[in-house]
Amino acid sequence: MRPMPADTPQIRDALNVLPRLLAAGDTHSARDHVLATLETAPEHPGLNAFAAFIFDRLGDRETAIHHARKAAGSGAAAPRPVAQAANLLARFRLFDEALAAAHTISPADIRDPVIADQLGAAYTACDAHHDAERAYARLVELVPHDPRCRFNLAAAQRFNGRRNDAAANFDHVIAANPLHGEAWYARALVEKAGPDNNRIDKLRQVCGDPRLGLQDKAAIHYALGKELEDLGQWSEAFLAWSRGAEAVRQARPYKVQPELDAIAETARLWPASKGVSKSAPLTPVFIVSLPRAGSTLVDRILSSHPEIVSAGETEDFIVSLLGDPALAAARDPAALARLTPQVDLAAVGQRYRDALTRRGYRRGVVIDKTPTNFLYAGLIAEALPEARIIHVDRQPMDAALATFKTLFRDRYLWSYDLKDIASYMAAKNRLMAHWQSGWPEHIFRVCYEDVVRETEAIAKQLVAFLGLDWDPACLDFTSQSAPVSTASADQVREPLHDRSIDHWRDFETELAPVAARLAAAGIS
């Protein structure tokens, strides 16, 4: 920890002027001002935190990182700049540095809400959800009536399996802002509705409020659909989901064809395997699937093994492939097709290994459960010969239903139209068949239904595929305390059941457009 430089009148003036310049949108003047002041105090944590933010806004990532690192080195002596720097470092995917900086600040010592908020955001970006909960709990102590702060605490509690606490805090958010769609949706997910314990009448009332924006309207309809489904009111539930999906499509206009074209082009550009499977001290395991197809269940089973850990949904491979987090975040479906003919896969593999190291993994078996990595399975096999890929498949109609009834916010935009779902599923099946035929040593296909009905037998096969000895701890996966931040965060902690198998038959009429398209594609 460096000693705090004394604030001179020039530094105090800069710390007052910079926020005004940024608020006015005059980023270039803010840059010039902070650089001029840094010449007199190059180690000042507050100035460096401002400089990091400014250069990030200007798109100069390397200079932003340079100043964030300087601010982060001040430790508890300058908690606000350190917390801000930790948040930036986490956004830059420098997770080890972000956590090291954040851990210099004790939540119990925080008196400034900005510090608690920045720490919570940094920990969330690092998937350190227990730390995030502590930071947000302190934030709520400091700002008890701010719905946004309370929502962030509730979200962290949900990820950590503290469903009763999360429900109570989501209720606080809804009481403060009855039009908070995300709070309504999350509240519906953390507790099963019953005949005498549901919010259906209130949700129907809120759905009709003319003040609702499209995103809140979508979330509230999905919440209504979930509670109606809990009560077995199938057609009413499907109607609510359909109205929610319509609101998403209005808010985010989308066409599926560019993604289908990119999938087909990927298979064309990578026609055959050029590598073989190898072993290494650090073995990445990629669990790939459509969303809501069982990948989280497989992840929890395997990560209960004492020699396997889960990194969650990292998106590290697509970032490593494109070489730029901003490109990966844009989720341009054509980006991969444009890049593959010239990409240096050895360099991609090393960037991915470096990313795992940033997350604290250096040896052993580490799961990356990013479902969309199915798009890159062959490239993963080429870039990381030591990797293993588990493809989780699911009965198509159940997969279609599970996808349609889930609100993914800004992900999987094809999931809000039944015909798009069928088209995307068919394209995914063709691509996975292509990868499986070209890279059979790397890829193990497993069916969700088999995992549910023959859990021990399938788990033993998966453990053997990873080159490990069987451990019965894999069957005790529901007792895991590790956070889950995916759409399955609530279901995965329940005892294993088969209620979701053939659930699509309760919606057979409504799902007819999916069934017709899948049948035309030869999928049943």
Side-chain angles (χ1 to χ4, degrees):
M1 184 190 307
R2 295 192 302 266
M4 274 284 290
D7 281 0
T8 65
Q10 182 182 1
I11 292 172
R12 287 194 293 271
D13 177 69
L15 294 176
N16 287 325
V17 169
L18 288 168
R20 295 200 295 270
L21 290 173
L22 291 169
D26 193 353
T27 310
H28 288 88
S29 293
R31 176 199 60 196
D32 296 342
H33 201 80
V34 77
L35 289 177
T37 314
L38 276 168
E39 288 182 4
T40 69
E43 303 301 322
H44 192 280
L47 293 174
N48 276 292
F50 265 115
F53 177 81
I54 291 164
F55 279 101
D56 178 43
R57 182 178 282 190
L58 291 171
D60 186 344
R61 182 175 185 270
E62 291 308 312
T63 305
I65 289 172
H66 167 76
H67 288 289
R69 283 171 169 160
K70 283 201 162 190
S74 302
R80 182 186 275 213
V82 170
Q84 292 167 328
N87 193 12
L88 274 174
L89 290 168
R91 285 179 41 223
F92 295 142
R93 306 181 74 84
L94 302 174
F95 302 114
D96 50 350
E97 296 183 47
L99 289 172
H103 284 150
T104 64
I105 303 170
S106 168
D109 296 335
I110 296 173
R111 300 292 180 267
D112 179 353
V114 172
I115 297 171
D117 194 29
Q118 292 285 310
L119 278 184
Y123 283 130
T124 300
C126 293
D127 289 323
H129 296 293
H130 291 300
D131 285 324
E133 182 180 345
R134 285 187 283 271
Y136 284 133
R138 181 58 182 150
L139 178 61
V140 168
E141 289 176 357
L142 296 169
V143 192
H145 304 300
D146 187 323
R148 184 187 66 83
C149 301
R150 184 81 65 164
F151 179 85
N152 287 339
L153 172 59
Q157 290 169 331
R158 178 181 169 231
F159 296 158
N160 291 329
R162 293 162 52 86
R163 295 166 72 173
N164 291 337
D165 291 332
N169 279 309
F170 285 130
D171 285 339
H172 273 286
V173 177
I174 292 165
N177 178 8
L179 304 185
H180 196 302
E182 284 196 64
W184 276 113
Y185 184 51
R187 181 65 178 86
L189 294 175
V190 298
E191 182 181 58
K192 185 173 182 178
D196 302 316
N197 178 33
N198 65 76
R199 289 150 289 278
I200 289 173
D201 289 342
K202 181 62 176 175
L203 283 164
R204 282 180 165 146
Q205 178 184 342
V206 177
C207 280
D209 194 306
R211 296 171 296 169
L212 274 179
L214 286 172
Q215 292 181 333
D216 287 317
K217 182 178 181 180
I220 291 169
H221 274 98
Y222 275 94
L224 175 61
K226 194 271 180 183
E227 296 215 354
L228 289 165
E229 181 190 27
D230 287 345
L231 298 181
Q233 299 180 29
W234 312 128
S235 58
E236 293 91 339
F238 202 91
L239 178 60
W241 295 326
S242 298
R243 288 174 174 166
E246 181 182 2
V248 174
R249 293 196 302 272
Q250 290 176 10
R252 298 286 300 273
Y254 165 83
K255 293 189 180 299
V256 73
Q257 194 58 48
E259 294 209 47
L260 304 182
D261 293 343
I263 290 173
E265 181 69 355
T266 299
R268 186 188 71 79
L269 289 166
W270 295 89
S273 173
K274 299 185 289 296
V276 296
S277 179
K278 297 180 180 178
S279 60
L282 178 62
T283 303
V285 176
F286 294 82
I287 300 179
V288 305
S289 69
L290 289 173
R292 307 309 313 278
S295 60
T296 302
L297 173 60
V298 173
D299 174 66
R300 299 290 277 192
I301 290 171
L302 289 176
S303 60
S304 296
H305 191 289
E307 297 180 54
I308 304 174
V309 295
S310 176
E313 296 189 11
T314 73
E315 297 195 340
D316 283 343
F317 188 80
I318 183 58
V319 172
S320 300
L321 182 63
L322 297 178
D324 183 342
L327 287 175
R331 300 193 177 99
D332 178 0
L336 177 63
R338 289 197 303 267
L339 181 64
T340 47
Q342 60 203 40
V343 66
D344 180 350
L345 285 177
V348 171
Q350 191 54 52
R351 286 197 291 269
Y352 183 84
R353 297 181 191 101
D354 292 343
L356 286 185
T357 300
R358 286 282 183 188
R359 294 180 181 275
Y361 305 114
R362 291 170 175 81
R363 299 185 64 83
V365 178
V366 182
I367 294 173
D368 182 331
K369 196 204 77 66
T370 306
T372 49
N373 277 333
F374 82 83
L375 292 165
Y376 327 113
L379 285 75
I380 289 170
E382 298 289 348
L384 297 157
E386 69 273 24
R388 299 293 179 270
I389 301 167
I390 297 171
H391 169 210
V392 185
D393 217 345
R394 187 174 185 181
Q395 198 281 336
M397 294 299 293
D398 277 333
L401 172 64
T403 304
F404 186 68
K405 70 179 187 177
T406 302
L407 179 63
F408 295 107
R409 300 176 74 180
D410 61 343
R411 303 292 302 276
Y412 310 119
L413 294 179
W414 49 267
S415 69
Y416 302 107
D417 180 278
L418 294 176
K419 293 179 180 178
D420 286 353
I421 289 173
S423 297
Y424 195 90
M425 290 175 66
K428 173 260 180 185
N429 281 6
R430 288 191 294 270
L431 183 61
M432 281 310 303
H434 168 72
W435 296 139
Q436 188 81 51
S437 65
W439 290 264
E441 290 184 43
H442 289 81
I443 303 173
F444 185 101
R445 178 180 176 272
V446 63
C447 294
Y448 167 78
E449 292 77 13
D450 292 338
V451 176
V452 171
R453 291 168 171 159
E454 305 172 46
T455 308
E456 182 171 353
I458 298 300
K460 287 180 174 177
Q461 292 176 29
L462 290 169
V463 170
F465 173 65
L466 303 184
L468 299 174
D469 293 328
W470 169 248
D471 193 297
C474 292
L475 302 179
D476 191 29
F477 58 90
T478 56
S479 66
Q480 266 206 55
S481 60
V484 180
S485 57
T486 70
S488 305
D490 307 291
Q491 298 94 327
V492 77
R493 291 186 169 91
E494 298 176 357
L496 197 61
H497 61 79
D498 63 0
R499 294 192 300 272
S500 296
I501 297 177
D502 283 338
H503 185 31
W504 73 272
R505 295 191 183 280
D506 295 315
F507 304 91
E508 197 160 356
T509 300
E510 291 85 355
L511 290 171
V514 177
R517 288 216 168 193
L518 291 177
I523 301 171
S524 60

